[in-house]
Amino acid sequence: MKRYKTNRGNLSSLIRVGDKSVRIKFVASNTGEGYFETNDPVLQKAIEEDADYGIKFFAETSQQHEEIEIISEVTVVDNVTTWQEARRFLQNAPYNVATKEMNSPKKIKEVAHRFNLLFKNLE
């Protein structure tokens, strides 16, 4: 499986595979980055030979992908659906994080990562 990434959020692109055009769709996460995965080696080769490769989208490095998979002992929190709820969750015991440490979704995510928490419905 190979994972491709774009900084353009939801992105749809036509890729020439042989004599056909194949539409690939990058799906945005809450960080604004979009992802597309495939295990088709022919499609992977076509993506990496496309004119937009390296400009609009690129292969996610194995190091980036491993960082996502390394965290095996996480606590999944699935009843939190907004960043405001996540902030309130982290302000309470046992975490007791100060509000000023969580003034953006990125910082809330960093704090959650520090405590090995995954807000499942925010991702």
Side-chain angles (χ1 to χ4, degrees):
M1 184 68 68
K2 200 160 190 182
R3 189 174 197 182
Y4 296 90
K5 179 177 173 180
T6 182
N7 293 327
R8 298 172 185 231
N10 289 320
L11 175 72
S12 181
S13 186
L14 287 174
I15 304 294
R16 193 83 177 147
V17 181
D19 60 346
K20 295 189 292 185
S21 291
V22 175
R23 182 171 306 277
I24 62 171
K25 294 180 182 181
F26 292 84
V27 178
S29 68
N30 62 342
T31 63
E33 299 167 335
Y35 297 95
F36 173 78
E37 291 182 342
T38 181
N39 58 2
D40 181 348
V42 175
L43 181 56
Q44 290 171 356
K45 185 174 189 293
I47 290 171
E48 292 169 14
E49 291 175 350
D50 189 82
D52 288 332
Y53 183 76
I55 299 169
K56 289 185 178 178
F57 49 85
F58 48 92
E60 186 175 50
T61 65
S62 59
Q63 182 181 7
Q64 290 170 325
H65 196 64
E66 286 173 15
E67 285 177 17
I68 292 169
E69 294 177 359
I70 284 177
I71 302 172
S72 59
E73 293 185 28
V74 298
T75 302
V76 177
V77 181
D78 54 1
N79 61 340
V80 171
T81 59
T82 67
W83 290 111
Q84 293 80 7
E85 289 175 358
R87 181 183 299 128
R88 283 192 298 272
F89 183 88
L90 292 166
Q91 287 172 331
N92 293 320
Y95 309 108
N96 300 317
V97 179
T99 304
K100 64 183 178 181
E101 287 185 57
M102 301 180 292
N103 59 1
S104 71
K106 180 181 178 189
K107 289 187 179 183
I108 292 170
K109 192 173 181 179
E110 289 170 359
V111 170
H113 185 275
R114 188 170 74 210
F115 289 107
N116 289 334
L117 294 172
L118 174 63
F119 294 113
K120 179 180 171 185
N121 293 322
L122 287 178
E123 300 293 338

